[in-house]
């Protein structure tokens, strides 16, 4: 389950890098019209281009900060999900181990009940001499 956490972190880093790259490109593209507007600013004094640029950059920064915040929240959610999956997997493994132990115990009990019992060892006793053998020796 540690691999899932690693994948989640890698995914979050990839998204973060993508956001940074998009922000950088957007700022490069957005700066060109402002550069031209600053050149023309001396002719049009009604609006300050620098003020417009600051506002635009402020909105842009806010947008990308919100995207980073969303990515962070996604990472937290994914981390919680991974933790739950790891916990459930561990509990499942414990349940499987218990079931395997129960099956093993039942198999041992079944084996004992099926095995034939060994006969008890018989005592060997000396045979008594019969009375006929005594009579034959007495009459002789």
């Amino acid at each position: 389950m540690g691999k899932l956490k690693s994948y989640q972190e890698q995914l979050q880093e990839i998204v973060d890098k993508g956001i940074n790259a998009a922000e950088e490109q957007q700022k490069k593209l957005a700066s060109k019209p402002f550069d031209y507007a600053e050149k023309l600013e001396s002719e049009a004094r009604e609006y300050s281009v620098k003020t417009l640029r600051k506002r635009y950059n402020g909105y842009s920064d806010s947008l990308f900060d919100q995207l980073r915040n969303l990515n962070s929240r996604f990472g937290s959610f994914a981390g919680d999900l991974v933790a739950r999956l790891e916990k459930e997997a561990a509990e499942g493994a414990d349940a499987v181990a218990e079931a395997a132990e129960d099956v093993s115990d039942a198999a041992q009990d079944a084996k004992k009940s099926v095995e034939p019992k060994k006969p008890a060892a018989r005592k060997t006793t000396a045979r008594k001499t019969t009375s006929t053998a005594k009579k034959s020796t007495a009459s002789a």
Side-chain angles (χ1 to χ4, degrees), residues 18-102:
I19 292 170
N20 290 338
E23 179 181 19
E24 202 173 300
Q25 289 300 316
Q26 183 271 337
K27 284 185 177 183
K28 281 182 184 179
L29 291 173
S31 71
K32 292 188 182 212
F34 290 109
D35 291 341
Y36 292 120
E38 284 176 349
K39 290 179 184 178
L40 299 173
E41 182 181 23
S42 59
E43 296 174 15
R45 291 285 177 190
E46 276 185 43
Y47 298 101
S48 168
V49 175
K50 286 185 180 183
T51 304
L52 288 174
R53 180 185 286 233
K54 283 182 185 178
R55 280 188 180 176
Y56 178 81
N57 285 339
Y59 294 137
S60 177
D61 290 343
S62 175
L63 171 69
F64 287 105
D65 286 342
Q66 288 176 0
L67 287 172
R68 285 187 187 91
N69 185 23
L70 180 65
N71 185 35
S72 177
R73 289 172 60 192
F74 170 76
S76 294
F77 172 75
D80 291 344
L81 186 62
V82 167
R84 279 191 220 150
L85 287 172
E86 286 177 338
K87 181 181 176 186
E88 287 179 16
E91 289 172 354
D94 290 344
V96 168
E98 281 182 35
E101 192 174 309
D102 291 345

